Amino acid sequence: MYTVRKVTDDLYYVGGDDRRLALFENIFPIPEGVSYNSYLLMDEKTVLVDAVDWAITREYMLNVDRVLDGRDLDYLIVNHMEPDHCSSIELMLQKYPNLKIISSEKAILFMRQFGYHVDDRYIEVKEGDTMSFGKHTLAFVEAPMVHWPEVLMTYDTTNGVLFSADAFGSFIANNGRLFADEVDWDRDYLDEARRYYTNIVGKYGTFVQKALEKAGGLDIKYICPLHGLVWRDDFGYILDKYTHWATYEPEEDGVLIVYASMYGNTEFAAQALAAKLCEAGITNISLRDVSNTHVSVLIAEAFKYSNIVLASVTYNLGVYPLMQNFIEDMKALNVQNRAVSIIDNGSWAPQAGEKMEKYLDEEMKLMDVLPEQLNMVSSLKAMKEPDMDAIVEGIQDSIKKRKEEKEKSKSQNKSKK
Ligand code: FEO
């Protein structure tokens, strides 16, 4: 049995799913699995586009063999040399002794570093190069830092297929599906696609913007990523998501409240704030305990919402370690352009609020720390209600201001046209 599906004339999906891996990159939980995508073009020459992780190499080789149906494999295009796509290269080189690898200069360097010393079998390509394999002529587009520096995207000028490497990928196994329009993608895949993008590629927004500009100049009919489902329509929808993520613009006006609480007192304050926000009409809220929410989920939601509230207990005269880790991860992934409200707590020397504010101001880009704060001593008291109300008002004002700025820039763009 095989897991092959036809993408379009001459092009077959030959990748597969991994539902056994607990942690992608040994960091990110993937409870719904992940796919490693590979595509086989059957032209006068046979051309495999990217390979797969070691975990599914056996079924992958069966798929390739099945589609080749007795023909030899002539070329393997390596768009991305990360081992989740390239562990199987060594076996493919052994099985197909005439196979040549087409890739960028950097990827070939990485292949040597990973131990593939087959110098007579490498064909180096760069931006703008094309190769014809019969009916199909493929053009190579450099896309550095989406997600590693060696990355290429490959565009089939004959049928408009863009092999987009990690871009437009997602966690979640394909489970027999191939196309994004075969599922309710917005309902079932968006959160995991956001978590994938923001944590894996989020740091490199400016590079992603450049790649999106290049892609904008192509007549694209299919987007074939290395993980997740293939896009063949509704490109505006997914491009809009990517544009938000790459430019660090929030997708939604709403509030991510992340709290660090040891005995429930800071948690109670976070809940009280959520209730007050809802009373004030701001109901688009995600309330998360930093101690039992994986940081990759927090990062994805920091990219999603316009406002963040950090509520932390003081620990060892500093910020609670898991909260500190979240803030540092936001910095590492370039989270910016958000309004942040602060709540802190401490029983004898509260320090968390001051330290979080200093970090946001001095270490991060364009984080607007709102002046309204709530400082608690051990537990939330009724006398602090005005401070809580002030935080709600500060959030309301910042959302209003963001909306007005958006409207203004929209009307300026319109008048420029
Ligand atoms: Fe899916 Fe950057 O590898």
Side-chain angles (χ1 to χ4, degrees):
M1 217 24 97
Y2 307 90
T3 56
V4 169
R5 285 198 58 188
K6 191 167 183 176
V7 181
T8 181
D9 286 346
D10 310 326
L11 186 67
Y12 298 84
Y13 175 85
V14 289
D17 291 343
D18 187 351
R19 287 182 210 82
R20 294 186 170 208
L21 184 71
L23 298 174
F24 187 80
E25 291 188 353
N26 217 7
I27 303 179
F28 306 110
I30 44 168
E32 296 178 82
V34 68
S35 71
Y36 308 113
N37 299 347
S38 172
Y39 307 90
L40 181 52
L41 180 65
M42 297 294 288
D43 201 346
E44 285 169 27
K45 297 290 181 187
T46 57
V47 186
L48 191 58
V49 184
D50 288 298
V52 299
D53 188 81
W54 187 249
I56 63 157
T57 294
R58 187 177 53 169
E59 69 179 71
Y60 170 62
M61 292 181 88
L62 285 172
N63 282 347
V64 172
D65 203 46
R66 159 83 169 183
V67 178
L68 285 173
D69 196 21
R71 290 181 65 186
D72 198 7
L73 181 61
D74 299 308
Y75 297 101
L76 166 61
I77 295 173
V78 174
N79 283 314
H80 183 21
M81 186 39 219
E82 192 163 5
D84 57 331
H85 308 292
C86 290
S87 307
S88 47
I89 289 180
E90 199 168 3
L91 282 182
M92 298 302 278
L93 286 166
Q94 282 171 16
K95 183 164 183 191
Y96 301 101
N98 300 314
L99 177 66
K100 295 258 192 304
I101 293 183
I102 301 167
S103 202
S104 67
E105 182 186 5
K106 262 208 180 81
I108 292 170
L109 170 73
F110 290 172
M111 279 182 249
R112 291 192 187 109
Q113 285 176 195
F114 279 101
Y116 308 147
H117 298 290
V118 287
D119 285 1
D120 56 332
R121 296 170 75 176
Y122 290 133
I123 299 171
E124 189 182 306
V125 290
K126 58 180 186 320
E127 173 84 22
D129 285 353
T130 59
M131 282 181 80
S132 183
F133 301 99
K135 263 193 334 203
H136 295 261
T137 298
L138 270 52
F140 302 100
V141 180
E142 289 176 358
M145 304 318 298
V146 186
H147 137 232
W148 278 15
E150 87 297 0
V151 169
L152 292 173
M153 293 186 185
T154 300
Y155 176 65
D156 187 333
T157 61
T158 312
N159 58 9
V161 171
L162 178 70
F163 299 99
S164 63
D166 273 345
F168 306 106
S170 175
F171 294 138
I172 305 186
N174 288 347
N175 302 326
R177 282 79 169 242
L178 175 62
F179 298 104
D181 53 77
E182 293 175 331
V183 299
D184 188 336
W185 201 89
D186 190 79
R187 185 191 68 194
D188 298 333
Y189 281 71
L190 173 59
D191 286 347
E192 283 296 84
R194 183 189 301 106
R195 190 166 70 88
Y196 166 84
Y197 170 86
T198 55
N199 285 278
I200 309 281
V201 197
K203 177 180 177 63
Y204 304 113
T206 46
F207 291 94
V208 176
Q209 287 177 49
K210 278 183 200 150
L212 290 175
E213 269 168 38
K214 285 187 192 178
L218 303 172
D219 182 15
I220 295 171
K221 301 282 194 296
Y222 294 82
I223 298 175
C224 294
L226 284 176
H227 303 284
L229 299 164
V230 169
W231 290 84
R232 61 182 169 183
D233 63 10
D234 217 2
F235 297 124
Y237 167 87
I238 189 64
L239 283 170
D240 178 64
K241 294 293 174 203
Y242 261 72
T243 304
H244 279 90
W245 299 336
T247 56
Y248 305 99
E249 270 295 316
E251 280 168 77
E252 295 179 11
D253 290 326
V255 187
L256 167 64
I257 305 173
V258 182
Y259 64 87
S261 183
M262 293 164 66
Y263 299 106
N265 290 294
T266 311
E267 179 179 15
F268 184 66
Q271 284 180 341
L273 175 65
K276 274 194 180 288
L277 284 168
C278 288
E279 286 279 329
I282 300 173
T283 52
N284 191 15
I285 291 171
S286 175
L287 182 64
R288 297 286 192 177
D289 180 348
V290 78
S291 297
N292 67 20
T293 310
H294 195 269
V295 70
S296 63
V297 173
L298 301 177
I299 290 294
E301 295 197 336
F303 272 77
K304 178 179 176 183
Y305 292 107
S306 58
N307 286 64
I308 299 170
V309 177
L310 302 175
S312 181
V313 69
T314 299
Y315 197 92
N316 286 336
L317 285 183
V319 181
Y320 190 74
L322 291 168
M323 181 64 88
Q324 184 66 34
N325 177 57
F326 168 48
I327 298 170
E328 286 177 12
D329 210 19
M330 280 201 287
K331 182 197 169 188
L333 292 165
N334 253 330
V335 174
Q336 54 191 273
N337 191 25
R338 298 295 184 274
V340 185
S341 309
I342 286 177
I343 295 176
D344 87 340
N345 193 0
S347 289
W348 64 92
Q351 295 276 316
E354 204 181 307
K355 294 213 162 135
M356 289 193 292
E357 182 169 4
K358 190 170 155 62
Y359 192 91
L360 292 160
D361 279 344
E362 294 178 6
E363 303 288 334
M364 295 181 68
K365 277 186 257 173
L366 300 174
M367 294 301 254
D368 182 14
V369 181
L370 301 181
E372 302 84 7
Q373 296 193 7
L374 170 62
N375 308 109
M376 294 156 56
V377 180
S378 299
S379 64
L380 185 62
K381 316 286 188 309
M383 60 187 271
K384 291 288 181 180
E385 190 149 17
D387 293 352
M388 192 73 97
D389 288 336
I391 290 183
V392 173
E393 276 168 35
I395 291 171
Q396 275 180 315
D397 288 348
S398 82
I399 289 176
K400 193 168 154 226
K401 203 169 123 200
R402 186 181 286 275
K403 271 187 183 152
E404 285 167 358
E405 279 165 6
K406 222 156 81 180
E407 284 307 314
K408 201 169 143 195
S409 94
K410 245 193 221 165
S411 64
Q412 278 171 348
N413 285 344
K414 249 189 211 163
S415 61
K416 268 186 213 161
K417 284 175 195 168

